[in-house]
DNA sequence: CAAGTAACAAGAGCATAATTGTGC
DNA sequence: GCACAATTATGCTCTTGTTACTTG
């Protein structure tokens, strides 16, 4: 589907249902108004006059429930918005079409951070418990000029520069004082959730298509958290700059056969203009909410089936940020932002027809997901050196700036833990740069083992391995065990978790969960169809425990020999849940190391083996029929071929180094 | 003076052409 | 010697953060 046909560059359609900012004076919906309130409104036909029906809805979707953070918002007409069933118990997962083991949430495990609308909705009583972040909300107001989107302003997310203050959650006045009062309802976060659904309409979801409620996982969340801790900055340039970390999600709970458009929207996170002063970000005046320009980035794969979206990681690695208002060429979608403003990316999933047309006859089937850790301040030049260093350390493209990197490692270049741009975004169209998603993550974990002379020493203060057994982890409550990695409102409930949540998320525990939790079913999928995808990489990483365990025994955590990348069939096809006691208990520190190894190996594997082998096979058109399928090729490589070449279980290294 | 811009160097992937090896 | 396959080399493109300069 050609995006240009479905995504008007200028007049982006709005979801039928959205939150309309209203104030005491309807005409005065200025974001700066202290009387501003957000209300759910039903989109009228007239309102969408300028919005062609053929579009990717979502432009103006902001708002629904601001706070969708960690809680997907679904503008379901049956009032169930915000109540997608969480995987484990899973109504959504138990859906007829999605109940396949392949997408069984149980198999997905709880290690991943995902948003469940239902969770959010069920925990509205204590919105603050949903997030460790303060004032994480999300609202949308209707621009006076009718172009809601372009003028949309999102005041929902307010992240205190100081960090995460739970106090904010308990006081809406903060916003009021700041001139932004949110009609969030009780609490500061997602009070509007329950109302959201009910306000949309009475039509109930069929249960299948419209009823498919998605759960979204932020794949590289640990990395995001790292940046978030220092207040993420994103460079914007005239030509457009990619985000790093970039947005990468895994989605579950969609109707396998239904079509969806998936896109990211970047909205203003707060009403302030920011300035980096005295080593920290401080507000400096009001934000300019008149910024024109595209705020959306539609995933190139849109529209596509739910099966497709759930098959592999959905990466937005090619999403570019620019400050060039005129930069809106159809070839490369760029999101126009304004420097020194804080933004909040949001993921929208809109069910559409096969042609990519939203079914206007049906109520909005929009699901919105917001992760507070995705917030960032747009800058034209980095302000915080910590951020700069993090970027350099984690972004493969900035490898050249790692002055001390080589000296810091004894391992040769090829064996670095540092990801390599081998996983070029150009290497795969479906998951552009997706593999990067894991790369930063890999390093994200290893970086903690780097010498202490790194800039962001604060991170060194985080006892990665110890955190697994830290009191905080233990105090994390029930969520610390089985659902430790499962960011749900329930898990985060409790005031004492406000602080812990972040720490825990940021801790090695979180990281570990990423590393050790396989997605066996999706893994096989990813490997079968998108061997080059980040998902495959991730899956591989999660499935190499046994190997890296061996590596660990060598006592060389930085062993230059990456562990075998092979994806044991047992891991490819069978759930490994039972093999992961970590799910029910915090993994021991040793597992942390193991995970690291696995990740490293995967990284190396993914970037090395795949490129090498696939390139080679490209020259063999006369080969077997399977040669035509890149995915199969790699699958063969990672399984059959690997096993063949390593009948004795030889380390992957041998294969890797053998031309 | 802060912010924005353009040029720069470094690292890396990809496409293509050139070279080399193999089989007939 | 020819044809084909495989490998290697080269140039282009892309990415990154840095730097110097310009702009308001």
């Amino acid at each position: 589907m050609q995006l240009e046909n479905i995504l008007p560059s200028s007049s982006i359609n709005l979801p039928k249902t959205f939150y309309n900012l209203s104030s005491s004076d309807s005409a005065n919906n200025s974001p700066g108004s202290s009387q501003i309130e957000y209300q759910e409104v039903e989109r009228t036909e007239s309102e969408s006059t300028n919005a062609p029906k053929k579009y990717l809805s979502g432009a103006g979707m902001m708002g629904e429930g601001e706070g969708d953070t960690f809680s997907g918002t679904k503008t379901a007409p049956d009032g169930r918005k915000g109540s997608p069933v969480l995987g484990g118990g899973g109504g959504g997962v138990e859906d007829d079409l999605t109940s396949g083991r392949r997408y069984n949430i149980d198999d997905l495990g709880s290690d991943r951070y995902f948003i469940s609308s239902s969770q959010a909705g069920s925990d509205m009583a204590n919105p603050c418990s949903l997030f460790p972040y303060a004032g994480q909300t999300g609202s949308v107001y209707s621009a006076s000029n009718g172009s809601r989107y372009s003028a949309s302003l999102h005041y929902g997310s307010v992240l205190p520069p100081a960090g995460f203050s739970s106090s904010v959650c308990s006081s809406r006045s903060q916003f009021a004082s700041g001139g932004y009062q949110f009609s969030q309802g009780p609490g500061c976060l997602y009070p509007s959730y329950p109302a959201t659904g009910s306000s949309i309409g009475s039509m109930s979801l069929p249960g299948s298509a419209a009823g498919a409620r998605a759960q979204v996982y932020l794949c590289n969340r640990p990395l995001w958290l790292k940046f978030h801790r220092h207040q993420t900055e994103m460079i914007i340039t005239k030509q457009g700059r990619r985000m790093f970390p970039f947005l990468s999600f895994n989605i579950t709970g969609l109707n396998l056969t239904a079509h969806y458009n998936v896109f990211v929207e970047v909205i203003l996170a707060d009403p302030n203009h920011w300035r980096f002063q005295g080593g920290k970000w401080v507000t400096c005046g009001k934000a300019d909410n008149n910024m024109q320009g595209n705020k959306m980035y539609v995933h190139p794969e849109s529209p596509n089936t739910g099966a497709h979206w759930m098959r592999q990681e959905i990466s937005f690695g090619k999403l570019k940020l620019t400050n060039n208002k005129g930069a809106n060429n159809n070839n490369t979608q760029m999101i126009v932002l304004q420097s020194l403003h804080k933004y909040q990316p949001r993921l929208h999933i809109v069910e559409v027809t096969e042609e990519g047309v939203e079914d206007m006859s049906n109520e909005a089937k929009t699901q919105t997901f917001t992760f507070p850790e995705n917030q960032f301040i747009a800058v034209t030049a980095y302000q915080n050196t910590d951020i700069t260093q993090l970027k350099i350390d984690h972004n493969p493209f900035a490898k050249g700036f790692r002055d001390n990197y080589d000296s810091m490692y004894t391992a040769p270049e090829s064996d670095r833990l540092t990801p390599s741009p081998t996983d070029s975004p150009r290497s795969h169209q479906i998951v552009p740069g997706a593999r990067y998603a894991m790369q930063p993550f890999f390093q994200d974990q290893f970086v903690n083992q780097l010498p202490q002379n790194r800039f962001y020493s604060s991170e060194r203060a985080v006892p990665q391995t110890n955190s697994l057994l830290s009191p905080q982890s233990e105090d994390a409550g029930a969520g610390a065990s089985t659902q430790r990695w499962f960011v749900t409102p329930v898990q985060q409930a409790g005031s004492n978790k406000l602080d812990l949540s972040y720490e825990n998320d940021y801790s090695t525990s979180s990281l570990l969960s990423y590393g050790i939790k396989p997605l066996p079913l999706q893994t096989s999928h990813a490997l079968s169809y998108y061997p080059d995808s980040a998902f495959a990489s991730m899956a591989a990483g999660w499935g190499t425990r046994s190997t890296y365990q061996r590596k660990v025994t060598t006592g060389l955590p930085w062993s230059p020999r990456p562990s075998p990348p092979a994806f044991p069939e047992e891991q490819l096809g069978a759930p490994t849940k039972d093999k992961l006691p970590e799910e029910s208990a915090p993994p021991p520190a040793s597992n942390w190391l193991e995970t690291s190894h696995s990740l490293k190996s995967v990284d190396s594997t993914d970037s090395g083996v795949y490129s090498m082998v696939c390139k080679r096979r490209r020259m063999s058109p006369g080969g077997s029929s399977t040669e035509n399928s890149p995915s199969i090729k790699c699958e063969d490589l990672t399984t059959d071929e690997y096993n063949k070449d390593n009948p004795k279980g030889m380390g992957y290294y041998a294969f890797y180094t053998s031309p």
Side-chain angles (χ1 to χ4, degrees):
Chain A
M1 179 57 63
Q2 300 304 313
L3 291 174
E4 52 268 29
N5 294 336
I6 57 178
L7 178 64
S9 58
S10 58
S11 62
I12 298 175
N13 206 348
L14 295 172
K16 293 176 217 150
T17 303
F18 60 93
Y19 288 85
N20 190 9
L21 178 71
S22 66
S23 63
S24 56
D25 178 3
S26 58
N28 177 21
N29 55 2
S30 166
S33 170
S34 61
Q35 299 303 320
I36 290 175
E37 288 188 0
Y38 295 94
Q39 292 181 339
E40 289 180 303
V41 297
E42 185 103 11
R43 184 181 178 185
T44 62
E45 195 62 29
S46 59
E47 288 177 314
S48 58
T49 300
N50 296 332
K53 290 190 175 184
K54 194 172 186 180
Y55 95 100
L56 294 177
S57 118
M61 288 181 228
M62 39 260 245
E64 34 194 339
E66 260 358 305
D68 337 44
T69 311
F70 290 123
S71 57
T73 309
K74 176 173 182 124
T75 54
D78 63 346
R80 288 188 296 170
K81 172 184 178 180
S83 59
V85 178
L86 183 59
V93 181
E94 296 302 329
D95 180 272
D96 292 341
L97 296 175
T98 60
S99 60
R101 289 185 52 75
R102 184 163 303 174
Y103 301 104
N104 189 324
I105 196 67
D106 288 336
D107 291 334
L108 293 178
S110 59
D111 62 315
R112 319 198 62 188
Y113 307 94
F114 79 95
I115 297 174
S116 173
S117 304
S118 63
Q119 297 292 322
S122 64
D123 198 39
M124 281 303 120
N126 188 3
C128 294
S129 67
L130 294 176
F131 320 98
Y133 311 90
Q136 183 57 31
T137 63
S139 297
V140 161
Y141 76 97
S142 173
S144 58
N145 63 358
S147 177
R148 291 186 186 84
Y149 180 73
S150 58
S152 65
L153 180 62
H154 181 284
Y155 297 113
S157 299
V158 178
L159 179 65
F164 309 92
S165 170
S166 60
S167 62
V168 179
C169 295
S170 61
S171 174
R172 291 175 53 193
S173 61
Q174 168 173 331
F175 301 108
S177 63
Y180 297 89
Q181 183 175 2
F182 299 83
S183 63
Q184 302 295 326
C188 63
L189 296 177
Y190 311 101
S192 62
Y193 262 104
T196 301
S198 60
S199 69
I200 295 172
S202 59
M203 188 180 93
S204 60
L205 293 171
S208 58
R213 287 158 293 185
Q215 294 90 45
V216 174
Y217 306 78
L218 178 60
C219 296
N220 49 353
R221 184 167 181 253
L223 184 61
W224 276 101
L225 286 172
K226 270 197 168 184
F227 281 85
H228 191 51
R229 181 169 181 166
H230 297 281
Q231 176 55 65
T232 309
E233 299 173 26
M234 292 290 178
I235 292 285
I236 56 175
T237 65
K238 210 170 183 178
Q239 300 79 14
R241 199 76 147 187
R242 289 186 177 183
M243 291 177 67
F244 188 88
F246 58 80
L247 299 167
S248 183
F249 306 99
N250 269 322
I251 304 174
T252 64
L254 297 177
N255 185 332
L256 294 176
T257 57
H259 287 70
Y260 300 88
N261 284 331
V262 175
F263 54 95
V264 165
E265 172 193 29
V266 179
I267 55 181
L268 209 53
D270 69 26
N272 301 316
H273 182 277
W274 292 81
R275 163 182 284 182
F276 193 73
Q277 212 165 35
K280 60 183 179 182
W281 286 98
V282 297
T283 58
C284 175
K286 290 185 177 181
D288 178 11
N289 63 329
N290 294 322
M291 185 69 171
Q292 299 295 319
N294 182 39
K295 291 290 191 303
M296 288 175 48
Y297 176 88
V298 183
H299 195 282
E301 298 289 319
S302 296
N304 226 311
T305 62
H308 174 86
W309 294 120
M310 294 187 292
R311 185 175 298 149
Q312 82 286 336
E313 181 180 331
I314 307 303
S315 269
F316 292 87
K318 287 188 175 179
L319 187 160
K320 284 188 172 182
L321 307 177
T322 181
N323 57 354
N324 184 6
K325 301 177 182 65
N328 196 9
N329 75 61
N330 296 327
N331 295 331
T332 59
Q333 300 180 63
M334 288 198 291
I335 293 179
V336 183
L337 303 178
Q338 207 161 16
S339 183
L340 303 180
H341 286 61
K342 185 178 287 186
Y343 292 93
Q344 169 71 65
R346 296 166 47 139
L347 176 71
H348 296 289
I349 304 173
V350 181
E351 186 173 346
V352 297
T353 65
E354 293 185 14
E355 293 75 25
V357 180
E358 183 183 8
D359 183 6
M360 303 299 283
S361 64
N362 202 337
E363 287 303 321
K365 299 174 181 178
T366 301
Q367 301 182 65
T368 302
F369 302 87
T370 303
F371 290 86
E373 54 267 47
N374 291 150
Q375 281 188 1
F376 64 87
I377 294 179
V379 297
T380 56
Y382 288 124
Q383 307 291 314
N384 189 342
T385 55
D386 288 339
I387 292 297
T388 303
Q389 193 59 35
L390 280 171
K391 298 256 185 179
I392 291 174
D393 284 348
H394 293 269
N395 192 332
F397 284 112
K399 200 174 183 179
F401 298 97
R402 298 171 189 166
D403 298 335
N404 301 325
Y405 213 83
D406 287 326
S407 62
M408 296 171 64
Y409 300 87
T410 55
E413 170 70 18
S414 60
D415 295 326
R416 275 184 182 178
L417 294 171
T418 305
S420 166
T422 298
D423 306 320
S424 170
R426 291 174 287 177
S427 63
H428 202 287
Q429 188 174 6
I430 294 177
V431 194
R435 294 153 74 187
Y436 280 68
M438 290 309 297
Q439 292 176 342
F441 169 54
F442 299 143
Q443 185 175 358
D444 206 27
Q445 301 179 61
F446 281 90
V447 72
N448 295 292
Q449 299 181 24
L450 296 177
Q452 300 292 314
N453 60 352
R454 305 312 291 263
F455 288 1
Y456 37 94
S457 58
S458 58
E459 295 188 2
R460 300 289 169 271
V462 179
Q464 295 296 337
T465 54
N466 292 341
S467 67
L468 295 170
L469 305 173
S470 68
Q472 284 189 351
S473 300
E474 296 173 357
D475 291 343
S481 56
T482 303
Q483 297 185 343
R484 180 179 186 78
W485 328 118
F486 207 20
V487 179
T488 68
V490 173
Q491 176 183 343
Q492 297 180 6
S495 59
N496 62 329
K497 295 181 179 64
L498 291 175
D499 295 333
L500 295 179
S501 296
Y502 177 80
E503 292 302 329
N504 287 340
D505 292 343
Y506 182 70
S507 70
T508 304
S509 303
S510 302
L511 300 177
L512 180 58
S513 69
Y514 267 90
I516 63 176
K517 294 288 294 183
L519 292 176
L521 297 177
Q522 287 193 357
T523 294
S524 60
H525 250 295
L527 295 176
S528 299
Y529 299 98
Y530 301 93
D532 194 26
S533 70
F535 195 83
S537 303
M538 297 166 66
W542 295 327
T544 56
R545 296 188 63 229
S546 58
T547 346
Y548 57 67
Q549 281 176 350
R550 288 198 300 271
K551 302 300 290 185
V552 168
T553 58
T554 64
L556 298 174
W558 292 90
S559 171
R561 296 293 143 242
S563 54
F567 313 110
E569 292 183 6
E570 59 186 20
Q571 295 170 348
L572 291 173
T576 57
K577 185 177 182 179
D578 54 338
K579 301 173 184 178
L580 298 169
E582 295 86 348
E583 262 186 40
S584 57
S590 60
N591 283 348
W592 158 241
L593 293 177
E594 294 170 4
T595 300
S596 301
H597 271 285
S598 72
L599 294 172
K600 174 180 182 290
S601 66
V602 172
D603 181 32
S604 300
T605 300
D606 196 31
S607 61
V609 174
Y610 173 72
S611 61
M612 174 176 66
V613 173
C614 290
K615 185 176 181 179
R616 189 178 302 165
R617 293 196 173 196
R618 180 168 55 85
M619 302 293 195
S620 306
S624 63
S625 58
T626 60
E627 298 287 331
N628 296 328
S629 173
S631 58
I632 294 176
K633 279 189 278 185
C634 288
E635 186 174 28
D636 291 344
L637 167 68
T638 56
T639 56
D640 299 338
E641 184 168 331
Y642 171 77
N643 294 333
K644 182 175 64 180
D645 293 345
N646 303 276
K648 297 178 181 179
M650 186 190 309
Y652 165 62
Y653 170 66
F655 174 78
Y656 180 76
T657 56
S658 299

